[in-house]
Amino acid sequence: MNRLAIGRRTALLSGVAAVVAPAVLRAQGEPIRIATLTPLTGAGGPYGPVMAKVAAAVVDEVNAAGGVLGRKVQLVSEDDQTNPDAGVRAARKLIDVDKVSAIMGTWASAVTTAVAPLCWESKTFLCTVSGADSITLLPHQGYLVRTQPNTVLQVTRCGEFLLSLGAKKAYTLVPQTPFAQRSIEVLGETMKKAGGTHGGQIYDDKKTTYRTEVDQTMRFAPDAIFCAGYTPDTIVLLKDLYRAGYKGKIIGQAYAVNQKLIDQIGQNEVVEGVYTYAPSVAEGSTALERVKKMSGLANPDPYTSQVYDHTNMVLMAMAVAKATTGTAIKDNIRKITQGGGKTVDNAVDGLKAIAAGEKVDYTGASGPCDFDDKGDILDCKFRYEQVKAGKATLVKVA
């Protein structure tokens, strides 16, 4: 090869290097993208905005401390509208356009059920606060964990609480959701084991009155009713039960029987004495104090606390893996939550420990984050409250 040809080849290779090198540098410096997909509107609207806010606060803390693996973290937040179709559209955008490696905070079980296949097919990791048993029975191949207790655990605890109040004849009213039939079955099993009886029915949550369903309930003559819907339909249901003269005990999930419901009903006698329950936050923990500061709330809801945990876990799993893909998160998330090591309750401390070669054991604002092989949280405490004079008052945490 003559000197001119060699010179041309060297120049060509130098030109290619000049183009490729900046591209490589850009790739190395690109932000790590993760996402929240929460209900900013719809039935879950009271919860989604603050869930996303706390996730953003965690990301800001981590970025201020240097990021993950030397890269900044970018959080993309989308609204699932508490609607499966909207959730799928938003998830598709997050996966295909934003190229996120993890989606966190799906709330309604119907939304999570619709979104989960998109995640495992694209190898995007999914953290959820949905409770339907069917979710972790999906063939998600490990690309999913949930910090919310499943339907069996939730409804069993509901039944045990009703029994402790002296209930012997319970009834479940639940809208058509992925957890509907299982809720009826589990409460029935719990009552039967204690010598009680149980009935139930599934209703259409789009109806403007449930008087027909209430009349059928009244014929059963229950001494306790489990209202297992969301806020909009539970408002209508409680009013119809009051008009029908029902005098027994009523319990609902705290995400439905909340202050918004109390204020919208506007008649204290309709909701007075109603019990609520929810997975408890880790009362007294420093992690919960961090969530209070980040959210600006004196009493953060469990979903916000769980999304705080999602964000911390995902970022620490990446650090342990030394990779930022959904598969890296899947393969390493249990290593930072239940593998033993230094106890940490935030990603900043955890990332420092990991960088120093230490093992970490994350316990967060929702409590220990230990998962079984299906991705279910192993256990948690529950918070029971009762509405008195227009406000929810604590009964017990157990």
Side-chain angles (χ1 to χ4, degrees), residues 21 55 64 81 130-131 136 187 209 240 254 256 264 279 283 289-290 338:
Q81 303 175 35
S130 301
T136 49
L187 189 55
T209 179
D240 284 344
Q264 286 191 7
E283 295 286 357
E289 292 305 312
R290 296 170 68 86
Q338 57 206 79

Side-chain angles (χ1 to χ4, degrees), residues 46-47 49-51 53-54 288-305:
Y47 305 103
V50 71
M51 292 162 71
K53 178 182 178 181
V54 166
L288 182 61
E289 292 305 312
R290 296 170 68 86
V291 174
K292 290 179 181 179
K293 183 177 180 180
M294 291 173 171
S295 66
L297 300 174
N299 297 295
D301 62 79
Y303 315 109
T304 296
S305 298

